[in-house]
Amino acid sequence: MSIALYKKVKTLKEDKHKSIYLVLNEIDSLFYIERIYESIDTSVYNKIQSLDLPYVPKVIEIDQENDKTFIIEEYINHQTLDWYILNHELNHQQCIHIMEQLCDTLSILHQHHIIHRDIKPENIFYDGHDIILFDFDISRIYDDHQNKDTSILGSYGYAAPEQFGFKQTDNRSDIYALGVLLNVMLTGKLPSDELVDSWEKEIVEKATQMDPNNRYQSADEFKAALMNHPKNDEISWALPGFRNHSKMITKLLASCGYAFIIYLCFNEPYEATDPNWTYMIDCIFRFVLLSICLTIVAFIFNYRGIWNYCLFYKNENKIIRYIGVILTCSVVVFAIFFLSAVVMAFL
């Protein structure tokens, strides 16, 4: 059995239901996480293993032996979000960026009927820039034929009311947890203890409605409400490399990059002896070149969530999504070039 190739290095958690270990693979000499369960439905982990999900640890192997289930998953060497909150002060833009990544992940999970049901800071790795959502132990596959969940599970404060046996959980249960998490990141407290008093208040209130029908109905809808809010312009319009969650080295590299682009576009001095119309065409050409360069930068760094409007952006395959981004960027660049050529032709 391939599980025997993984040697225990450190015990991370042990109880009567499950054991979690840091293990070392003897073949590739890499670290992994081994989860051992006495009893668990592996349908969620089987589904995750078959998908290429952003911001979720990869499931490497699933095996069973002597009534025990073994799951080997990718090792993420980061602290959890709750640790980060205790030791650092999250700024406003970091909170928005975290929610954006969670929404992107949940959007794909929900497309495949996977409900996480335990979204909280303890189940999110965070390195100051990117998140990894983990611990799918109480996650489930949504079943159209059920009226309510077969078991009552969830974390206090983050679990939606329907998780306590009133009806079946669905993607809107995760939306409830997102609303709670947003409030906790901004205030340090649950919405029931202290509701955020900034513009995010209306988003938290809608996401945490008792009736699921009154919440945002999808992660994409939640994200759109957050990212497109009129008072979020100072965040969403920040140039790639200059958001507040960016490190100083990132801002310095971005400054050098933009300076280099400007230099490439305007480094050739214009000869004043040329006719005026030629001068105008030359200026238009340079600004078109600058526009094309900035467009490419915007697509590379997903400026203002531009990937959400690209071809194939909802496809679960990461490679296909990237192909969609490249194709869409190519179309936009061609459109800019074509329109500029038409304008210059009439001059």
Side-chain angles (χ1 to χ4, degrees):
M1 183 177 71
S2 59
I3 295 297
L5 298 174
Y6 296 91
K7 299 301 180 182
K8 295 180 178 60
V9 175
K10 182 179 179 180
T11 300
L12 303 179
K13 181 177 181 179
E14 280 186 333
D15 58 35
K16 63 180 181 180
H17 300 295
K18 67 180 178 181
S19 300
I20 304 177
Y21 304 101
L22 175 66
V23 296
L24 181 67
N25 187 295
E26 294 184 329
I27 301 298
D28 59 20
S29 298
L30 296 177
F31 289 109
Y32 296 89
I33 295 297
E34 180 181 53
R35 296 174 176 270
I36 304 176
Y37 302 92
E38 294 293 335
S39 176
I40 188 175
D41 179 4
T42 62
S43 57
V44 170
Y45 282 104
N46 287 328
K47 178 73 75 171
I48 292 174
Q49 187 180 29
S50 68
L51 301 174
D52 185 14
L53 296 169
Y55 311 122
V56 171
K58 291 180 174 59
V59 175
I60 310 300
E61 294 188 44
I62 302 173
D63 210 338
Q64 290 184 320
E65 183 180 86
N66 299 328
D67 298 326
K68 289 186 177 181
T69 300
F70 297 81
I71 296 175
I72 302 295
E73 68 180 24
E74 178 185 10
Y75 170 57
I76 308 297
N77 188 22
H78 298 313
Q79 297 289 349
T80 55
L81 181 58
D82 64 316
W83 180 93
Y84 193 94
I85 292 173
L86 287 174
N87 293 275
H88 302 82
E89 182 177 352
L90 280 174
N91 62 50
H92 191 265
Q93 284 137 321
Q94 281 179 303
C95 296
I96 301 300
H97 190 57
I98 289 170
M99 299 307 297
E100 182 181 6
Q101 294 182 13
L102 282 172
C103 286
D104 290 342
T105 300
L106 289 174
S107 178
I108 299 175
L109 288 172
H110 293 166
Q111 287 177 42
H112 295 276
H113 310 294
I114 299 174
I115 316 301
H116 189 279
R117 297 205 299 171
D118 202 18
I119 297 171
K120 58 182 180 180
E122 293 88 338
N123 289 339
I124 300 170
F125 289 119
Y126 184 59
D127 64 357
H129 298 273
D130 296 322
I131 61 98
I132 296 290
L133 178 64
F134 69 102
D135 196 348
F136 288 79
D137 290 354
I138 69 169
S139 302
R140 61 183 295 272
I141 304 293
Y142 179 76
D143 186 351
D144 290 331
H145 302 294
Q146 281 187 211
N147 294 321
K148 61 181 181 179
D149 290 359
T150 55
S151 57
I152 300 174
L153 296 167
S155 298
Y156 171 77
Y158 292 89
E162 58 268 22
Q163 289 183 235
F164 296 99
F166 298 107
K167 58 179 68 174
Q168 183 184 189
T169 52
D170 58 23
N171 61 307
R172 296 170 298 180
S173 303
D174 285 343
I175 300 302
Y176 183 97
L178 283 182
V180 175
L181 178 62
L182 177 59
N183 195 87
V184 168
M185 289 194 298
L186 293 172
T187 68
K189 296 181 180 180
L190 297 170
S192 56
D193 297 328
E194 180 184 331
L195 191 61
V196 61
D197 61 1
S198 57
W199 59 266
E200 293 91 349
K201 177 180 178 180
E202 63 184 85
I203 294 176
V204 172
E205 287 182 321
K206 183 174 177 63
T208 57
Q209 290 290 309
M210 293 290 289
D211 185 349
N213 293 321
N214 294 332
R215 301 173 199 156
Y216 297 108
Q217 299 300 292
S218 69
D220 289 336
E221 187 179 343
F222 182 101
K223 178 183 175 181
L226 190 63
M227 301 305 295
N228 298 329
H229 194 283
K231 294 185 179 179
N232 193 32
D233 281 347
E234 71 273 15
I235 297 172
S236 57
W237 285 104
L239 289 174
F242 289 98
R243 295 180 179 179
N244 281 351
H245 67 265
S246 300
K247 293 181 179 179
M248 181 56 66
I249 185 64
T250 302
K251 294 179 180 180
L252 289 174
L253 290 174
S255 298
C256 294
Y258 290 124
F260 182 67
I261 289 174
I262 293 173
Y263 172 77
L264 286 179
C265 295
F266 297 97
N267 68 322
E268 289 293 335
Y270 177 73
E271 297 294 337
T273 56
D274 292 344
N276 289 334
W277 282 113
T278 304
Y279 174 74
M280 181 178 294
I281 292 175
D282 181 77
C283 289
I284 292 175
F285 174 78
R286 293 177 187 274
F287 278 104
V288 167
L289 184 60
L290 178 63
S291 298
I292 290 175
C293 290
L294 293 179
T295 297
I296 293 173
V297 169
F299 274 94
I300 290 175
F301 295 100
N302 193 23
Y303 181 58
R304 285 179 56 83
I306 197 170
W307 288 4
N308 293 332
Y309 306 97
C310 291
L311 297 169
F312 318 130
Y313 83 95
K314 287 190 174 181
N315 193 287
E316 64 272 13
N317 189 298
K318 184 184 295 186
I319 295 177
I320 294 178
R321 293 200 302 273
Y322 286 160
I323 291 174
V325 171
I326 294 172
L327 289 175
T328 306
C329 180
S330 301
V331 170
V332 173
V333 168
F334 177 79
I336 294 173
F337 182 80
F338 177 77
L339 291 175
S340 64
V342 170
V343 171
M344 288 190 288
F346 283 96
L347 293 179

